[in-house]
């Protein structure tokens, strides 16, 4: 009996020590993850500041400069921190539990490299969107529109809840403009056609006058030929030629 009790006590003490060791390892891993997330957030904050500085150099923003961009960077930073927190080592080890039991240090190194690569790629994508999309210029334009909207007393358009009326209210002015444009173009074409018709009539009248002049000239030429023949016949009659 004493030997059984001793074995039970030793086994229970080993279990307790192993649990304490596991808890200490988990605590160490949580501390390391917290430090990594803190370092990543600091690095990300510096990168976001650099991106905001670059974009403000490209665009002239109103005071305070890059306010909306800083807010955007802060939101992206918080979202990325939550994503990294969700990709914790505990979940990673739980997903790859057999590999973790065989080589926990290698699993830890793979997780660290995975988190660092994931965070770097996401941050690069965000920076690319900010730079290529000229987000600072777009946000400055949004600020300008907001300032202009303050001076307008007329309420902005809002949907009425009836799609047919909304579509009609949107398309009716467009169709009216198109109808007015088509009427103007039709009137313009009518004027052009009238001018062309007048030119055609003038051309036909000129052709008719030319034909009359040609006919008169031909008639005059025929009359001259007949007169010339009469003069020749009167000066040299046929009998004189026969006598000769």
């Amino acid at each position: 009996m004493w030997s059984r009790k001793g074995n039970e006590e030793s086994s229970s003490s080993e279990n307790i020590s192993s649990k304490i060791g596991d808890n200490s390892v988990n605590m160490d891993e949580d501390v390391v993850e917290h430090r990594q997330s803190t370092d990543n957030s600091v690095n990300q904050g510096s990168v976001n500041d650099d991106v905001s500085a670059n974009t403000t150099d490209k665009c002239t923003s109103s005071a305070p400069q890059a306010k909306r961009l800083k807010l955007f960077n802060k939101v992206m930073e918080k979202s990325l921190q939550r994503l990294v927190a969700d990709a914790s080592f505990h979940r990673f080890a739980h997903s790859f539990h057999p590999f973790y039991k065989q080589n926990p240090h290698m699993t830890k190194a793979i997780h660290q490299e995975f988190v660092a690569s994931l965070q770097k790629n996401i941050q690069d994508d965000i920076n690319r969107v900010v730079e290529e999309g000229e987000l600072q210029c777009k946000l400055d334009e949004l600020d300008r529109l907001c300032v202009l909207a303050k001076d307008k007393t007329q309420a902005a358009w809002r949907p009425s809840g009836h799609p047919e009326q909304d579509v009609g209210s949107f398309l009716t002015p467009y169709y009216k403009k198109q109808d007015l444009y088509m009427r103007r173009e039709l009137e313009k074409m009518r004027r052009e056609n009238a001018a062309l018709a007048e030119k055609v009539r003038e051309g036909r009248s000129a052709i008719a006058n030319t034909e009359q002049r040609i006919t008169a000239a031909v008639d005059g030429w025929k009359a001259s030929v007949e007169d010339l023949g009469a003069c020749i016949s009167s000066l040299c009659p046929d009998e004189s030629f026969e006598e000769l």
Side-chain angles (χ1 to χ4, degrees):
M1 291 178 66
W2 291 105
S3 62
R4 291 179 179 177
K5 289 181 180 180
N7 293 328
E8 292 176 357
E9 290 176 356
S10 62
S11 62
S12 61
S13 62
E14 289 176 356
N15 292 328
I16 292 170
S17 62
S18 63
K19 290 180 179 179
I20 292 172
D22 294 336
N23 291 328
S24 62
V25 171
N26 292 328
M27 291 176 65
D28 294 335
E29 291 172 353
D30 294 336
V31 170
V32 172
E33 289 177 0
H34 178 69
R35 290 179 180 176
Q36 289 177 353
S37 62
T38 304
D39 295 336
N40 292 330
S41 62
V42 172
N43 295 328
Q44 183 182 356
S46 62
V47 171
N48 291 332
D49 294 336
D50 294 337
V51 172
S52 61
N54 293 329
T55 52
T56 50
D57 291 337
K58 293 181 180 179
C59 303
T60 57
S61 58
S62 58
Q65 290 185 350
K67 182 178 179 181
R68 291 181 182 272
L69 184 61
K70 288 182 179 179
L71 180 61
F72 173 80
N73 290 331
K74 184 178 287 187
V75 171
M76 292 295 103
E77 182 181 352
K78 293 292 184 182
S79 300
L80 191 53
Q81 287 179 1
R82 291 181 180 179
L83 179 62
V84 172
D86 290 336
S88 62
F89 178 72
H90 178 71
R91 293 184 177 179
F92 187 82
H94 181 72
S95 300
F96 302 96
H97 187 67
F99 181 73
Y100 170 71
K101 288 180 70 68
Q102 292 180 2
N103 197 340
H105 296 289
M106 182 62 71
T107 307
K108 183 67 177 178
I110 292 173
H111 175 261
Q112 292 176 357
E113 185 176 357
F114 167 73
V115 171
S117 178
L118 178 64
Q119 188 172 5
K120 182 179 180 301
N121 292 331
I122 293 175
Q123 188 62 49
D124 290 341
D125 290 338
I126 294 173
N127 296 339
R128 190 178 300 108
V129 169
V130 173
E131 292 176 1
E132 294 181 358
E134 297 181 355
L135 187 61
Q136 180 60 47
C137 296
K138 302 298 188 299
L139 295 177
D140 292 340
E141 182 67 17
L142 179 61
D143 290 334
R144 188 183 68 82
L145 293 176
C146 291
V147 172
L148 293 176
K150 291 180 180 179
D151 299 333
K152 293 182 178 180
T153 58
Q154 186 178 1
W157 180 85
R158 293 293 184 273
S160 63
H162 300 283
E164 296 83 3
Q165 296 179 2
D166 295 337
V167 172
S169 63
F170 176 75
L171 293 178
T172 300
Y174 172 76
Y175 286 139
K176 286 183 178 179
K177 290 181 180 178
Q178 291 296 320
D179 182 68
L180 181 61
Y181 172 77
M182 294 300 293
R183 290 179 182 276
R184 289 176 180 175
E185 290 296 321
L186 181 61
E187 185 65 25
K188 180 180 178 181
M189 292 180 67
R190 286 177 177 174
R191 289 196 298 268
E192 291 178 355
N193 291 334
L196 291 174
E198 184 64 26
K199 289 182 179 179
V200 170
R201 284 194 295 270
E202 291 177 357
R204 289 177 178 176
S205 177
I207 291 171
N209 293 330
T210 303
E211 288 179 350
Q212 290 178 0
R213 287 196 300 270
I214 291 172
T215 304
V218 170
D219 293 339
W221 179 76
K222 288 181 179 179
S224 298
V225 170
E226 291 177 355
D227 293 338
L228 181 61
C231 290
I232 292 171
S233 60
S234 62
L235 291 174
C236 301
D238 293 338
E239 291 133 0
S240 63
F241 286 104
E242 289 177 356
E243 291 176 355
L244 292 173

